[in-house]
Structure formats: structure tokens, C-alpha cells
Amino acid sequence: MSQSLDNTIAPSLSRGSIIVRRRLSAKKLRRFKPYLYLLPAVALLSIWMYRPLLYTFYLAFQKWSMVPGTSPVFVGFDNFEHLFHNKSFIDSIGNTIFYTVGLLPFSILIPMILAVVTDRMESKSKNFYRAMFFIPMILAPVSVSAIWRWLFHPSNGLVNYLLVKLHLIKEPIAYFSDPSFAKWIILLITGWKMIGFSTIMFSAALTGINREYYEAASQDGAGSFRQFVHITIPLLSPMIIFMLTMSILFSSQWTFAYIDMLTTGGPYGSSTNIYYEMYRFAFSSLNVGLSSAAALLFFVVFGVIALGLNMLSRKFAFYDN
Amino acid sequence: MKRLAKGALVLMTMSSMVWLSACGSESKATTTGTAAELGTLDPANPTKVTFYSYSLAYPTMKAGMEQLIKEFNDTVGKEKGVVVEGVADSTMQQYKADISAGKEVDVVQHTFSTLDSSRLSLGFKAYDDIFPKDELDEHLKGISSNALELGKIDGKMYGLAFTFSTPIVFINGKLFEDAGLDPSKPPKTWDEIKADSLQIKSKTGKDGFGLAPNNGWVTEGLILSNGGQVLAKDRKSADFGSDASIAAISMWKDLYHNGGSAPGSDAELMEQFMAGNLGMYVSSTSLHSGMKKASEAGGWKLYGAALPQFGDTPSVPVNSGSVLAVRPSDPVKTAAVWEFVKFVTGDRGYTIITSQIGYLPLRTELADDPNGLKDFVEQNPLYRINLDQLTRIQPVAIWPGDNATEMAKVFTDAIVKSVMADDDVKSTLTAAQNEINGMMP
């Protein structure tokens, strides 16, 4: 009996344990599954973003030329001290603010007006104009720089030729060698490229606005300006804040190519910005510690700005859900 | 809409992080060993040598440099088993980036002013340490001793003078004649330059003279010609804030602000001269082949003059150009690099460099050698000016230590500011001198 009891019980027990185990592993798998899905993204982010980011923080306190066979030497806060004694870096902060603020009309004001004006057009001409605005965005910075350099050439350039012919200036101006013009031209070129992208973004946002608001407003006697102020702008507010954030955080990056190709930061550092100085420290002076220290400061300052803009977005952006 | 904006914000933050992190990306570490003796080359299994050259990136010099590499590969290279691969490096940054990335960078056409910094941080080797002494001594015979001194640091040769020139005044014969001047009797002093320049401008309406404030090296000749110096003799401090230097730069400022010198960067002035719109332009003879073509295309004749002097004192030009800096990784590579160096700085090499590009033959006797450059120099008398200047030449400043690139930049920026802006020359130069002295090792 006991034998048979053992025999009958034993198999059922083992079957049960398998079922329990299976249930357990299924449960484990279910719990584990989300992490499994996240794994590729987490791995990629860690390898390509967070590890190098942390490594940059580490390098900010080292002296190193990046040459194989040499190793970084710990120097404490020396890099930060050098940074604040470096005249060209200090000058570049002012220029970075100049480019950041100067780019706002090109990324928000002008594109918003262009988007609203073209929005009322019939489909064919609307597409034509928007394509025209967008083309500068897809041109390669190198060819764009070459064309602008020809236009602004001191002796052979069209701009000087016209200005002299129209008696607006007496002598041709060397725009890229003149500190009072160099950074304005860089700003103009970057802005000119930026307009197309922003116009497309604002146009996309405009198509999302319900037409009934405008009909209702016009029946109440609101003119097109009042409609723009009281309907278009509030409903575009998420896009406005988004473009504001983009413009502020990326202005240094967008101006970089033109600084490098047209002025290399000159004359005497009057057109450089923080990004260009970081690049110079790392790849011209081969001082990766100094460059990382600048990158770390840049990260902190722009991180705070990004958080501020995020809060601004929560407070002011109006979503028509 | 809300999602779009939020998603884009997240994306943006991430991409800015990626950019920032790129600055700190780690490179693979490989150790470069030192070769004490030459290895054996095998023609059946050729050794590849990479040659980073800025001349390869300039339209006026590219063809000549390519011919130099090709001729080596087709002759000595084929026979001994070496293949040289040219890498165009227009901004002289590529070789630094590639060395940092662990790539094999064997030979670099390196400028003088930052050689010390590269020696310290990029692993370039002294010729005396890696090449056999007897072969080296034999090869250096016949090269101008002034030129050999230029690549030496602390008594060791870290670079062998390769492409080399002195500044000369290129002259547009047509504009001179249109202004009633004789291009065969060019101005000798800075006062004459100013007078002729203003005369060209008033008679032809075109700019008379051009020397770009950001030229980087002619400036040093200007300072030396007036009795000043850029770097102290012991290379321990900057010394361009003296009265002689200030007087030289003030003269230039006067020329610039009174319409005697055309505005624009070095590249813009070169284009202006080549387009036939500038009477005189000071630059390196390495531009000769391009200038000559431009003058033939534009229907005007090219003349030249020596670097102008202050009063009666002969001018002191500095050299422009480059040395060959080497960093072979093993004895076989060293042997391969040595073959290439010997060819390009030998008789045939300099014949190509001078006749096809426009640099000076550092083996000066080639200029009188009928098998070398005798005919060429007779047809292009500008080279005589250059060869004459070689006797008065002084080396361009080699800024000391790790901060050489920064020092060179501070110096150039101060000169540009002194010449172009209304700022006081003395205070600008003194401030820059102090800044550089603060960076000295």
C-alpha cells in the first residue's frame, strides 16, 4: 500500500513540480521580457552615448594628446583654470550668445510668417514656394560656403560690385577679414539655411489646426491679424517652443561648418564660437583635456537651458487635444 | 503634436550628448617602437608608406607632388620594394587625427612652426636616431647648410627641409605699365612700395599692393628686417614687443589704413592677383606655377622683386615651406621611408619640386647644372631673386613645447589686430607677448 501510495504520489508530485517550474519560468520570462526588449536600445545608448559621455567627464581632469602609446595624466582642475585664462575661449562665449540670439528670427519669426503666408495659397504655388525655401537646407555646407565666399569676395564679388555701383560704399569691403562683418555674414548664411527647415516645421504644425476656429472667428468679425494673434499663435505654441529649444541648443553646431570654412574663427577670434574652440583644442592643439573641460561646461550650461525650456514648454505650450 | 514635440526634444538631447561624447571617444592604443637599424626590403612584397602632404591638396602644387610620388613608385620604389601612398591634408589636421586614431602615418610634410610640439606629442623621430649615420651624412652633402639648420631641435634633426621658399613680391607687369611704372625696376623699400601702390591705385583704379595680415610667416620677415625678433634666441620667451617690431608693424598698419594695401585674407588676395586685379602681391614662390598660368591666361606678364627692405638695411626673409617629419614603426618601414626621403630630397626630387611646383632647389648647385635646373632658372628669372635671398634667410620661429599651436595663433591674431583694427600696436603686441610667455613650458 505504502509502496503503491508512494508510486502513485511520486509521479504526480514530479509532474506538478515541472508544471510549477514551467509556470515560474514563464512568470520570470514575462517579468524579464520588457528588459529584453529594452536591451538593444540600452546597450546602444550605453556604448555610444553614456560611456563616451562619462569618459569625457573623466578626460576633463586629465592631460592627454590622444596619441596611441601615451596615457592620460591626472591634472585636477588645471584644464578648467587654463580654460578661463584662455582669451579665445572667453571671447567665444560672447560670440556663442550672439549666434544663439541672432538665429532666433531666422528659426522662428521669419519662418512663421512664411508658413502662414504660404498656407493660404493654392496647393501648387504653396508647394512651389515651400520647396524654394527648403532647398538651402539640403545643400552641402561646403558648396554653400564656396558660393557665399564668391558673392562676398572683396575684389571679384557681386555684393561689393553692386554696392560700389550703387554708390553705397566707396571702397570694397573684405567681409570675412573684417571683424565687424565676419560674424554677421556667418549668422546670415546659417539663418538662410535654417529658414527652410523651420518653415516646413511650422507649415506642418499649421495643417494640424482645425479650420473651424478661423471660420467661427471670421463670423464673429475677427480680421486676419486678430485671427493670427488669437488663434494661430496659441495653437502653434508647442511648435514655437520646440523650435526655440532647437535653435538655442543647436545654433553653435549649425554655425560651426561656416566658421570653419569661411573664417576659421578669425579675424583674431572675432567669429569663433564655443564649438569651434572645442574642436580646435582637441584636434589642432591636441589637448583633449582642455577640450573635454570645455565640453563639460557646455554640457552643464546647455543642460540647464534645456531643462528651463522644458519647463517653459509645460507652462506655455497649448495643446488642442 | 505634443508627442512630436516631446519626442523631438528627447532626440535632440540625446544627439547633443552623442556629439559631446565624441570629443572623448577613446582611440585604440598601439605602441610605436623605435628602429635602431634598417630592415630588409623585398621587391616582391613591397612595403607601403603613407605620405601626408598639404601640397597634394592645393591646385597649384598638386600635379607636381603627384609626379614626385609617381616617379618614386615607378623607379626606386619598384626596384627596392616600396609603395608610397599620398594623402592630401589641406589643413594639416588629418595626420594628427589619423595618428590619434592609431593609423600608420609614416611621413608628413610638416610646417616649421609646430614641429617641436609634434615631436613631443606625436611621436616623430630624429633622423640621427633612426637612419644610418654614414648614409645620412652622405645624403645631406650639397644641401644648403642654412636649410639644414631649420629642422633641428636641441641639436637633432627632426625634419629635413623639403619644400622651401622665401617670400617675394609678385608683380603684374601690365598694371605697372598702365600706372606709368617700370616693372623691370621694381620697388626695393617699403616707402617705394607705398608710393608705387598708391600710384597704381590712382591711375588704374585697382589695388596696388597686397600682403594679408593673416599670412602667418612673411610677417616674421618684416619684423626681422627691421632688426626685431619674434622668439628670443634661447627659445624660452616671445620677443616681438620690442620697439623695432612695433615700428615694422606700425609701418604696415599705415600702409593698410591709407589705401596702400588691399584688404582681404591671403586666399582672397591671391585670387585677386591671379585675376589681374592687384599690382603687387607678397607671397611664397611656391605659387609661381599657378601665377604664371594665370598671367598667360590673362594676357599680362609676371615680374618679381625681393622682399622689400626698411631704408638701406637688406631685408631678412624667413623661409616658408616644410620639412619631412618621419615616424616609421619598424626597421623595414624605416628602410622604406629612408628610400623615399632620399629620392624626394635628392637631385631628381628637387628638380621636380622646383620646376613643377615652384619651391627652391635646396641643392643650390642644381640651378647651374645643365642636367638639372639651369634652363628652367634662365627662363624664370624670379628664381634668381629667391636663390639670392637664401643667403640672408633666417628660420621661421619654432614655438616651443606643447602649446606651440596656441602660441602661433596668439601671435598671428595679434598681428592681424594690430594691422587691421584701430587698437594700439604696442599694447596689442605686448599683451600677446605676455600671453604667449604665460604658455611657455
Side-chain angles (χ1 to χ4, degrees):
Chain A
M1 180 68 194
S2 72
Q3 183 74 33
S4 72
L5 192 71
D6 283 352
N7 283 345
T8 50
I9 288 169
S12 71
L13 251 182
S14 85
R15 256 205 311 273
S17 82
I18 287 168
I19 291 162
V20 168
R21 247 184 251 151
R22 270 193 196 147
R23 266 186 204 153
L24 266 177
S25 65
K27 211 174 172 186
K28 257 188 200 167
L29 190 72
R30 247 206 320 276
R31 254 194 226 158
F32 190 59
K33 235 180 193 171
Y35 299 103
L36 204 69
Y37 288 132
L38 279 175
L39 187 69
V42 170
L44 285 175
L45 282 175
S46 316
I47 295 169
W48 296 108
M49 285 189 194
Y50 298 114
R51 185 184 160 279
L53 181 70
L54 294 174
Y55 196 62
T56 305
F57 294 169
Y58 161 77
L59 283 176
F61 300 93
Q62 314 285 324
K63 182 176 164 31
W64 192 36
S65 64
M66 293 191 286
V67 176
T70 59
S71 31
V73 179
F74 180 74
V75 288
F77 282 91
D78 274 12
N79 288 327
F80 293 92
E81 204 190 317
H82 287 159
L83 206 57
F84 288 112
H85 284 108
N86 190 309
K87 210 177 144 289
S88 57
F89 182 75
I90 303 292
D91 290 349
S92 75
I93 294 174
N95 286 338
T96 308
I97 296 169
F98 168 83
Y99 288 130
T100 309
V101 175
L103 211 56
L104 291 177
F106 296 100
S107 58
I108 294 172
L109 198 65
I110 301 171
M112 200 158 68
I113 294 169
L114 290 177
V116 170
V117 170
T118 51
D119 196 48
R120 308 248 164 101
M121 288 178 172
E122 56 159 311
S123 144
K124 260 190 185 171
S125 43
K126 188 199 292 190
N127 289 341
F128 172 76
Y129 280 110
R130 286 182 180 173
M132 292 283 282
F133 298 140
F134 194 68
I135 283 172
M137 185 68 203
I138 49 173
L139 293 176
V142 178
S143 37
V144 167
S145 304
I147 293 165
W148 284 93
R149 208 170 76 84
W150 290 336
L151 287 173
F152 284 102
H153 197 283
S155 59
N156 313 331
L158 194 64
V159 174
N160 270 321
Y161 177 79
L162 288 175
L163 291 177
V164 172
K165 279 275 167 214
L166 294 170
H167 299 289
L168 290 171
I169 52 171
K170 273 187 185 169
E171 291 285 325
I173 300 166
Y175 294 94
F176 298 113
S177 310
D178 192 325
S180 40
F181 287 104
K183 61 181 171 186
W184 285 97
I185 306 273
I186 302 268
L187 178 68
L188 178 76
I189 300 171
T190 316
W192 168 76
K193 274 205 86 166
M194 188 61 214
I195 287 175
F197 175 66
S198 296
T199 308
I200 293 291
M201 295 299 276
F202 279 113
S203 303
L206 276 176
T207 51
I209 297 178
N210 194 336
R211 295 277 144 188
E212 285 169 9
Y213 292 128
Y214 293 105
E215 282 160 22
S218 67
Q219 275 175 10
D220 287 346
S224 51
F225 182 72
R226 286 190 75 179
Q227 286 179 18
F228 176 72
V229 173
H230 294 289
I231 300 173
T232 313
I233 290 187
L235 289 172
L236 276 183
S237 60
M239 184 52 78
I240 293 174
I241 291 179
F242 168 66
M243 287 311 297
L244 180 74
T245 314
M246 286 272 283
S247 184
I248 289 176
L249 296 187
F250 280 76
S251 57
S252 305
Q253 202 170 324
W254 289 327
T255 42
F256 179 89
Y258 306 104
I259 294 174
D260 190 36
M261 271 173 279
L262 295 170
T263 65
T264 60
Y268 48 89
S270 59
S271 66
T272 187
N273 71 8
I274 294 184
Y275 258 55
Y276 193 70
E277 288 305 300
M278 272 196 251
Y279 164 77
R280 260 191 355 92
F281 292 150
F283 300 106
S284 175
S285 308
L286 288 174
N287 192 340
V288 74
L290 198 62
S291 183
S292 300
L296 179 59
L297 282 178
F298 189 89
F299 179 79
V300 171
V301 171
F302 277 76
V304 170
I305 294 175
L307 283 176
L309 285 165
N310 210 358
M311 280 163 65
L312 202 73
S313 163
R314 258 183 245 142
K315 205 168 177 189
F316 292 107
F318 175 78
Y319 295 96
D320 178 29
N321 290 328
Chain B
M1 184 74 170
K2 191 175 177 179
R3 267 192 199 162
L4 177 73
K6 275 199 168 175
L9 259 178
V10 170
L11 199 71
M12 204 166 44
T13 318
M14 284 175 174
S15 52
S16 70
M17 281 175 170
V18 166
W19 190 90
L20 282 164
S21 60
C23 287
S25 57
E26 200 177 8
S27 56
K28 278 182 196 166
T30 50
T31 342
T32 45
T34 311
E37 57 187 42
L38 299 181
T40 315
L41 292 166
D42 176 12
N45 188 16
T47 308
K48 197 181 103 178
V49 167
T50 52
F51 173 44
Y52 285 64
S53 160
Y54 63 80
S55 292
L56 276 173
Y58 284 86
T60 51
M61 308 186 217
K62 189 174 177 230
M65 194 52 75
E66 280 176 346
Q67 187 188 337
L68 191 66
I69 297 172
K70 189 175 180 299
E71 240 185 81
F72 171 79
N73 283 339
D74 290 348
T75 57
V76 182
K78 205 171 188 179
E79 184 193 319
K80 300 265 172 79
V82 184
V83 177
V84 171
E85 185 189 286
V87 181
D89 189 359
S90 62
T91 54
M92 288 166 264
Q93 300 295 331
Q94 190 65 43
Y95 74 88
K96 294 181 184 176
D98 284 0
I99 290 173
S100 313
K103 285 191 185 172
E104 295 260 325
V105 177
D106 303 315
V107 184
V108 174
Q109 181 187 9
H110 203 294
T111 50
F112 291 90
S113 60
T114 54
L115 189 62
D116 195 23
S117 152
S118 290
R119 168 184 76 109
L120 293 170
S121 60
L122 291 170
F124 285 100
K125 292 169 183 166
Y127 279 56
D128 321 55
D129 292 343
I130 56 168
F131 298 134
K133 192 179 179 312
D134 48 341
E135 278 191 47
L136 186 63
D137 290 345
E138 183 60 33
H139 181 69
L140 298 184
K141 274 182 198 160
I143 297 184
S144 152
S145 57
N146 265 359
L148 284 179
E149 281 305 309
L150 299 171
K152 283 188 180 165
I153 302 171
D154 297 339
K156 279 189 178 177
M157 195 164 82
Y158 282 89
L160 174 57
F162 174 50
T163 56
F164 196 90
S165 73
T166 61
I168 65 165
V169 185
F170 287 105
I171 290 173
N172 180 325
K174 187 173 177 295
L175 285 183
F176 253 63
E177 282 158 5
D178 289 353
L181 296 163
D182 182 359
S184 58
K185 287 179 191 153
K188 273 187 181 164
T189 64
W190 284 105
D191 291 340
E192 289 169 16
I193 289 271
K194 186 178 176 183
D196 288 2
S197 170
L198 294 174
Q199 188 167 333
I200 292 170
K201 192 156 192 179
S202 66
K203 293 271 170 69
T204 67
K206 295 194 169 158
D207 286 309
F209 174 83
L211 172 60
N214 72 342
N215 72 74
W217 66 293
V218 181
T219 308
E220 294 190 27
L222 214 73
I223 290 175
L224 294 173
S225 297
N226 203 33
Q229 56 180 358
V230 178
L231 203 55
K233 288 271 180 296
D234 61 1
R235 292 179 64 242
K236 289 209 163 77
S237 60
D239 189 26
F240 53 81
S242 67
D243 290 344
S245 309
I246 292 165
I249 303 302
S250 301
M251 179 286 298
W252 188 6
K253 186 181 187 125
D254 167 66
L255 197 66
Y256 194 88
H257 284 267
N258 292 312
S261 186
S265 67
D266 213 13
E268 287 167 342
L269 289 179
M270 183 182 76
E271 286 157 4
Q272 187 177 352
F273 184 81
M274 287 170 90
N277 294 326
L278 183 62
M280 295 173 271
Y281 170 56
V282 185
S283 193
S284 151
T285 34
S286 62
L287 300 175
H288 178 256
S289 56
M291 297 293 186
K292 206 175 166 199
K293 273 182 203 146
S295 71
E296 283 159 5
W300 45 277
K301 203 173 167 203
L302 183 68
Y303 289 84
L307 181 73
Q309 60 191 47
F310 288 86
D312 297 331
T313 326
S315 62
V316 182
V318 293
N319 58 291
S320 93
S322 60
V323 291
L324 288 177
V326 298
R327 52 193 303 287
S329 51
D330 59 59
V332 178
K333 257 298 170 53
T334 309
V337 165
W338 181 225
E339 289 302 333
F340 181 61
V341 168
K342 276 196 294 189
F343 178 82
V344 296
T345 56
D347 286 354
R348 182 63 195 150
Y350 276 128
T351 304
I352 297 173
I353 288 171
T354 304
S355 60
Q356 302 302 316
I357 301 177
Y359 283 106
L360 268 179
L362 287 180
R363 296 183 182 274
T364 39
E365 75 273 18
L366 280 173
D368 301 314
D369 182 354
N371 295 323
L373 291 160
K374 191 164 188 284
D375 290 348
F376 178 80
V377 173
E378 272 167 13
Q379 283 164 20
N380 298 280
L382 258 75
Y383 283 87
R384 280 280 165 223
I385 303 168
N386 219 340
L387 285 165
D388 290 346
Q389 292 196 135
L390 202 55
T391 53
R392 306 196 301 272
I393 199 166
Q394 280 200 22
V396 73
I398 298 184
W399 299 99
D402 285 340
N403 293 321
T405 315
E406 278 301 299
M407 291 177 187
K409 184 177 180 291
V410 172
F411 173 66
T412 306
D413 281 356
I415 298 294
V416 175
K417 199 171 185 184
S418 301
V419 174
M420 284 178 52
D422 294 327
D423 302 45
D424 177 49
V425 177
K426 188 175 182 179
S427 55
T428 310
L429 291 185
T430 314
Q433 182 177 293
N434 294 340
E435 194 181 342
I436 290 177
N437 285 340
M439 288 191 254
M440 284 285 167

